[in-house]
Amino acid sequence: MTAATEKKGKAKEPDITFFHPDLLEVPEDGSPPYLKGYRCRQCGQLDFPRLEICPNCWSEEFEMIPLSRRGKLYSYSDIYIGQSGMETPYVIGYIDLPENLRIFSMLEGEVGSFKCDEDVELTVGPIRMNRNGVPITSYKFKKVSG
Amino acid sequence: MKLERDVYIAGVGETVFGKHKEDFDVLGRRAAFQAIRDSNIDRPDMIQSAYVGNAHNGLVTGQTIFKDLGMLGRVPVINVESACSAGAMAVHLAIKDVACGLKEISIGVGAENHTLHRETGTAFPPAKGDIEAMHGAVMTGKYSMRATRFMHETGATIEDLAMVTVKNRRLPITRTPGLRARSPWKKWYNQE
């Protein structure tokens, strides 16, 4: 076995620096990443993040739906005193997607630069460090560029 | 809400808000004993149940508060947690015990000392492992987002929001000695 195939084999193990595969898909073919919504097969309610039981009808059958990459910033907060172990300042917000979902996200951008109802889009980046000081990657939102 | 029977507040107690060197259990016991002294309750075996709200001190918080009041082994001490509202929830449960006729006398206490936590100087996340918490959520940040949206929708200013606390501190119900001693609005109290 060559070193290259050995490495490839290891790459299939769960990547602890990627926060959660149920939330975010970053396609290997380079197409844009997307958040994963889950539609209840019984009542049709769309949820994010993934649930095991539909809170509306208690069904346990879902289908994954890729969510819109753009939304409107419902509200935000510049965090100067953050969680234990997190570097400050950082910005958090709630994003309203066209699918009628409100999603919590860390925002990529400067403190003091966000406004309610601004157009924001999905991006992928570090949200915090893991115990070994390695960045954990997850979804984030940033202002729509251009 | 209709209660099964009337419930009376026999006594209240509160420590002074501030940065204390005493841990949560000392503060909680002081408040509890103040409430007891404020009432006609004069023996440990008169109180029939106790509820304690606390978020950050781990196991047996209520038992830690009440052991030195001679109440352990006599009454159920039940710990409840619901972040900021833990104390209110404890009092609610004490009222429910009496309203339902399960107990004649019950006590509810909320106790916390944020200055003594290992996390002091940081903000509290919601449940650890929660997806929002992983992405940086803190309770204060969520309240802040609510306020920001309110100002955006209504045109209210930060000064408008500050008037809420000014109004609250003028209400008789919040003029407890603990608040009064430290309040920047002390002169308002002294006007009357």
Side-chain angles (χ1 to χ4, degrees):
Chain A
M1 191 185 274
T2 64
T5 53
E6 222 174 70
K7 206 175 175 185
K8 207 176 175 186
K10 276 190 178 170
K12 282 180 183 169
E13 288 176 9
D15 184 357
I16 56 156
T17 57
F18 185 81
F19 175 51
H20 211 300
D22 282 350
L23 304 177
L24 171 69
E25 189 69 40
V26 183
E28 284 182 10
D29 63 7
S31 56
Y34 56 88
L35 291 174
K36 293 156 123 176
Y38 292 84
R39 187 177 296 287
C40 172
R41 287 189 196 274
Q42 185 167 292
C43 75
Q45 178 165 304
L46 183 63
D47 273 297
F48 176 91
R50 184 184 177 182
L51 301 170
E52 290 189 352
I53 299 155
C54 174
N56 187 48
C57 73
W58 286 1
S59 159
E60 297 171 65
E61 301 288 322
F62 295 88
E63 64 175 320
M64 195 279 285
I65 308 269
L67 298 178
S68 301
R69 296 176 36 80
R70 284 195 178 191
K72 274 196 188 312
L73 186 60
Y74 174 75
S75 193
Y76 64 92
S77 179
D78 294 333
I79 305 291
Y80 288 94
I81 297 175
Q83 269 180 46
S84 177
M86 284 186 71
E87 194 178 328
T88 52
Y90 60 89
V91 193
I92 57 174
Y94 275 115
I95 292 94
D96 284 345
L97 296 184
E99 291 91 339
N100 197 27
L101 284 176
R102 181 166 296 157
I103 288 178
F104 181 93
S105 176
M106 189 176 277
L107 301 179
E108 195 174 281
E110 297 300 312
V111 288
S113 71
F114 287 95
K115 288 190 182 71
C116 291
D117 287 341
E118 269 184 315
D119 290 325
V120 287
E121 65 184 354
L122 180 71
T123 184
V124 173
I127 51 164
R128 64 197 296 147
M129 300 295 174
N130 72 11
R131 281 178 190 165
N132 299 323
V134 180
I136 298 175
T137 301
S138 188
Y139 67 87
K140 294 169 102 172
F141 278 81
K142 62 173 184 179
K143 289 192 195 203
V144 172
S145 39
Chain B
M1 181 176 62
K2 189 187 174 300
L3 301 181
E4 287 292 311
R5 59 176 186 168
D6 289 338
V7 178
Y8 298 92
I9 304 292
V12 295
E14 186 178 42
T15 58
V16 176
F17 282 80
K19 293 179 179 175
H20 291 288
K21 291 194 172 70
E22 298 88 354
D23 213 345
F24 83 97
D25 58 309
V26 178
L27 299 175
R29 192 156 46 247
R30 268 184 209 163
F33 199 59
Q34 242 183 59
I36 290 167
R37 282 288 190 237
D38 191 38
S39 71
N40 291 326
I41 301 161
D42 55 9
R43 294 191 319 274
D45 60 355
M46 286 176 73
I47 299 171
Q48 296 166 340
S49 66
Y51 293 90
V52 175
N54 171 279
H56 276 264
N57 292 92
L59 309 185
V60 293
T61 47
Q63 286 79 355
T64 308
I65 287 175
F66 283 112
K67 71 179 164 65
D68 291 347
L69 291 179
M71 285 166 57
L72 287 199
R74 295 178 191 273
V75 300
V77 176
I78 297 166
N79 302 313
V80 298
E81 189 282 308
S82 57
C84 305
S85 59
M89 192 191 241
V91 171
H92 168 86
L93 291 170
I95 291 169
K96 197 159 78 170
D97 265 9
V98 178
C100 297
L102 204 59
K103 307 288 181 188
E104 297 301 323
I105 300 175
S106 180
I107 187 167
V109 187
E112 195 86 53
N113 185 341
H114 282 182
T115 24
L116 283 187
H117 287 144
R118 289 180 67 183
E119 296 93 347
T120 294
T122 64
F124 302 130
K128 294 192 172 90
D130 175 82
I131 289 170
E132 296 190 353
M134 277 298 291
H135 289 82
V138 289
M139 302 300 262
T140 40
K142 299 184 91 171
Y143 298 142
S144 151
M145 284 196 276
R146 203 174 286 174
T148 299
R149 184 68 198 186
F150 179 82
M151 290 192 286
H152 174 75
E153 284 182 9
T154 63
T157 63
I158 285 181
E159 287 72 21
D160 292 331
L161 296 184
M163 289 309 287
V164 177
T165 192
V166 171
K167 178 267 294 175
N168 286 349
R169 281 154 199 259
R170 297 193 80 176
L171 288 176
I173 197 165
T174 58
R175 286 191 209 163
T176 56
L179 267 180
R180 203 190 281 225
R182 270 189 63 88
S183 173
W185 309 100
K186 226 182 322 192
K187 62 174 183 187
W188 293 48
Y189 301 135
N190 296 338
Q191 277 172 7
E192 279 115 344

